[in-house]
Amino acid sequence: MPIEGEDPRSTRVEYEPVSVKDVLVEMKDTSELLIDLAYSAVLHRSDAIAEEVLRLEERMDVLELRARMSVMMAARNPEDTEMLAPVLGVVGGAEKISDAAGDVAKIVLEDMGLPEAMRAALPEAFEPLERATVAAESDVAGRTLGEIDLESETGVRVIGIRRGDTWLLNPGPDSELAADDVALIRGPEHAIGDVYERLSGASYQPVVDPEPAIDDLDRAVDSIVHMKNLSELAVDVAYGSVLFDDVALAEEVRNLEVEVDALQSRFEAWTLGAAAEAEDPVALRGLIRLGIATETISDAALEISEGVLREIDVHPVVELAVQESDEVLTRIEVEPGSELEGADLQEGVPTVGPGTTVIAIRRPEVGWMLVGQSVEAVAAGDVLITKGTRTAADELRAVAAGQ
């Protein structure tokens, strides 16, 4: 452990014979959680959540070094070196995501300020996420998540647990909650307050949405919220492309990154326009930082998928990581005459059932649309990004092809 007051990046990290696969899985889980936590810190103006981001960022720094050490130890010949090079891309991309999340957290910790319009728009961008410290008198203390069964009863799930300096990411039904654990919970707005109070014993104070005021600022905020959503999608698709060696998915990461870059350009123009009308232009400093960090996340996603784009063979260590994934990401193009034409995805994926979910659509003349934010029906030529079981993905691919 670092000494109090010491920069954690200066502490010594020694080589340990750890599984590259395990490190990659942990880096993936950590980077995805960091994105969630960082934007939640901004939404709630929460120093406590922002500090959790920096703790996880420190953990990611250690994971990155250990991953690089392990990859170098694993390379025995030129063929190994070529196959392991994309693994370093995954490591570097995850580290960029971690740094970007840390930059977002510092908007809160350094009190840079954000326009109220930003916080008004964020609640619609993702499910609420809260940080609850488990009280000793709570009925959940000393019980497993399976015994409590929060998700079935309320829709709220525990996505991470910190006990002291130890993190448990993606806890399962056998994971136990103890007094003083910091539980990260996510779920529907109508239920998360009750769960927070049940765990912590403290009163829940929901975020009050302020009204936006400046036209250019409204457009800048809308742009950055869309950037955030597309960047998160790019990370999901990038990891999917690597884990399943899918060039088509990697191409969609590139498409997403291009669209985020275009949004970034418009965001900058609208932010400068808003500065001319704002009473305190300095209050837009945090918004600018948020835009830079968000665009960095999409760049990191492209770095993660670069080896797949270059069609370098996947190293066996990545194949081992695949075996731990129950879900797959799939790119499916809808052919004319398919049963999917005209389908309303708000009502679920037709003919396939609950085994898969369409999370995004790319329509050639429109660009990317995230399912849940659009009432558009599926059209021929749409590219669907789905998440679900392998079997369901194969079934949906056949339906999309009109078979």
Side-chain angles (χ1 to χ4, degrees):
M1 288 298 300
I3 300 170
E4 185 175 354
E6 180 182 8
D7 184 344
R9 292 170 297 182
S10 67
T11 56
R12 182 176 177 81
V13 178
E14 297 182 350
Y15 170 74
E16 294 180 4
V18 296
S19 162
V20 177
K21 177 206 70 175
D22 291 344
V23 175
L24 287 177
V25 170
E26 187 174 353
M27 291 188 79
K28 172 184 179 295
D29 291 343
T30 302
S31 61
E32 291 172 338
L33 179 58
L34 274 164
I35 295 172
D36 282 342
L37 284 177
Y39 285 98
S40 291
V42 169
L43 171 62
H44 298 298
R45 313 178 197 189
S46 171
D47 286 0
I49 294 178
E51 286 163 0
E52 298 295 350
V53 172
L54 297 190
R55 287 189 181 97
L56 270 175
E57 187 185 8
E58 291 173 15
R59 174 62 182 160
M60 184 69 94
D61 290 341
V62 174
L63 288 171
E64 181 206 8
L65 284 171
R66 288 191 173 145
R68 293 186 187 278
M69 291 175 185
S70 296
V71 168
M72 286 189 287
M73 290 293 290
R76 297 180 296 273
N77 52 54
E79 184 180 35
D80 277 350
T81 301
E82 181 179 301
M83 295 175 71
L84 285 166
V87 179
L88 291 176
V90 175
V91 172
E95 176 63 14
K96 279 185 179 176
I97 292 170
S98 172
D99 291 343
D103 286 343
V104 173
K106 288 170 187 172
I107 294 172
V108 178
L109 293 174
E110 296 176 11
D111 198 22
M112 290 184 188
L114 278 171
E116 295 299 335
M118 185 72 240
R119 294 191 177 92
L122 274 177
E124 298 179 2
F126 56 86
E127 274 189 316
L129 185 152
E130 292 287 353
R131 171 190 181 277
T133 302
V134 178
E137 61 274 15
S138 170
D139 71 300
V140 306
R143 299 172 64 191
T144 66
L145 296 180
E147 291 170 340
I148 301 165
D149 201 18
L150 281 176
E151 189 166 358
S152 295
E153 292 182 6
T154 67
V156 176
R157 56 201 180 278
V158 179
I159 62 173
I161 300 170
R162 180 173 62 80
R163 184 169 299 160
D165 293 313
T166 302
W167 281 94
L168 174 61
L169 305 180
N170 292 328
D174 295 329
S175 303
E176 183 178 300
L177 287 172
D180 297 326
D181 280 356
V182 173
L184 304 175
I185 56 176
R186 156 163 277 177
E189 189 174 359
H190 70 270
I192 199 164
D194 290 340
V195 173
Y196 175 89
E197 292 182 357
R198 180 179 175 187
L199 268 61
S200 69
S203 176
Y204 178 67
Q205 301 295 328
V207 176
V208 177
D209 297 345
E211 291 295 326
I214 304 172
D215 288 342
D216 275 341
L217 185 56
D218 294 347
R219 288 192 286 270
V221 165
D222 288 345
S223 179
I224 201 170
V225 167
H226 196 40
M227 285 169 60
K228 169 198 172 293
N229 290 332
L230 293 185
S231 294
E232 287 182 311
L233 175 62
V235 171
D236 272 346
V237 177
Y239 279 121
S241 73
V242 172
L243 292 177
F244 309 111
D245 194 20
D246 190 321
V247 175
L249 281 177
E251 291 285 358
E252 296 303 341
V253 177
R254 182 152 55 191
N255 290 333
L256 282 161
E257 194 270 341
V258 168
E259 186 155 347
V260 171
D261 281 351
L263 284 167
Q264 168 76 0
S265 179
R266 294 197 291 272
F267 161 77
E268 290 172 349
W270 288 325
T271 302
L272 289 171
E277 302 176 43
E279 291 184 9
D280 180 14
V282 176
L284 299 177
R285 187 165 62 106
L287 187 64
I288 293 169
R289 171 72 68 89
L290 195 60
I292 294 169
T294 302
E295 196 269 338
T296 298
I297 291 171
S298 73
D299 289 344
L302 189 59
E303 182 173 342
I304 288 169
S305 61
E306 184 178 9
V308 181
L309 283 169
R310 295 182 185 276
E311 299 188 32
I312 300 174
D313 289 338
V314 175
H315 192 275
V317 72
V318 180
E319 294 176 358
L320 287 173
V322 173
Q323 296 171 10
E324 295 197 359
S325 179
D326 294 327
E327 289 187 320
V328 299
L329 278 164
T330 309
R331 175 192 182 276
I332 295 171
E333 188 165 347
V334 180
E335 299 291 340
S338 163
E339 289 180 50
L340 288 177
E341 269 195 281
D344 181 358
L345 294 179
Q346 310 299 321
E347 299 177 2
V349 181
T351 76
V352 177
T356 195
T357 302
V358 178
I359 59 176
I361 301 171
R362 180 168 61 80
R363 182 163 295 167
E365 67 275 16
V366 176
W368 285 96
M369 299 178 291
L370 301 180
V371 174
Q373 297 181 337
S374 171
V375 295
E376 294 279 355
V378 177
D382 282 352
V383 172
L384 311 181
I385 300 297
T386 73
K387 180 184 286 189
T389 64
R390 295 173 188 272
T391 301
D394 290 341
E395 291 177 10
L396 186 59
R397 187 179 285 109
V399 172
Q403 299 174 3

